[in-house]
Amino acid sequence: MASSAASMDPGQPALQRLHILPFAEADNLLAGRSRIDVMAPELRRKRSCNEVVKLGDVLRHENLDFAVIKCEPEEGLLGIDTDYFVDGSPLVSFEKIQFSAWGPCEMSSDALFSECLVGYFRGEFAPYGTEGAKRVRFFYSSMTFQVGDIYLQVEATEPAGLGVVTNMTEIFAGWDKTPEF
C-alpha cells in the first residue's frame, strides 16, 4: 500500500499531533514489539522527505499496515515537535457493513449503491487492499456522514469497532423509510 505523494512544499504546516493505529492483521504480527518502534523508520523517512501526511493515509513498514486515524491539523508535515500516539484497539477490516440513507429524493438500494457509495470508494480512497489505494475511510456503528445531498448512517458492522471497507466487504444499503412524526 503506497503512502501519500511526496510534497516538497515548505508552506505546509507541521503536524502537532499524529495518531496511528495498526490494522488487526498487523497488530497480530507485532510479536510484542512496540507499535511506535515498528513504525519509527517509516515516520522518520516521511519527515526527512517532507511528505504530506493526511487523515486516512495508510503507512506500511515491514509489511505491517497502519493508518492515520487522527492528525492536527488535518494534513501537514511531520516535525520534530509532532506528538505521536499509538494507543487504541487495532483497526478492523469489515466483513459486512450496512448503511441506511435519507435525502431529498428516495433511491432504490441499487441506485444508492451505484450513484452514491461506489464513488465514495474510488481513487485514493479505494477499499483497503485494492491496488493503488493510498488512503482509507473509517467507519463505526451509528456514524453519520454525507455524500452530496445524501446522508448515510452506519447501522451495523461485522466485526464491530473502528474499521475500514475492504475489497472483500459485503456492503448493504437501504433507504430509510421511517416516517416523520
Side-chain angles (χ1 to χ4, degrees), residues 18-116:
L18 179 73
H19 191 171
I20 60 174
L21 287 176
F23 286 88
E25 300 82 3
D27 199 53
N28 291 335
L29 297 173
L30 287 175
R33 297 181 294 167
S34 113
R35 291 173 174 180
I36 196 68
D37 288 347
V38 167
M39 289 307 295
E42 176 62 8
L43 295 169
R44 278 192 294 273
R45 186 195 67 74
K46 285 187 168 298
R47 185 175 67 203
S48 67
C49 292
N50 288 324
E51 285 190 26
V52 174
V53 176
K54 301 176 185 177
L55 175 69
D57 278 353
V58 175
L59 311 175
R60 175 178 276 176
H61 186 69
E62 296 180 6
N63 288 322
L64 300 173
D65 287 352
F66 284 64
V68 176
I69 66 158
K70 178 86 172 158
C71 57
E72 294 176 19
E74 288 188 17
E75 69 176 58
L77 303 174
L78 298 175
I80 57 171
D81 293 328
T82 301
D83 291 325
Y84 298 92
F85 300 90
V86 293
D87 294 333
S89 298
L91 300 167
V92 296
S93 296
F94 295 128
E95 295 171 20
K96 297 178 183 179
I97 189 166
Q98 180 179 352
F99 298 102
S100 64
W102 63 94
C105 299
E106 186 172 333
M107 300 172 80
S108 69
S109 292
D110 288 341
L112 183 60
F113 186 78
S114 64
E115 296 173 27
C116 187

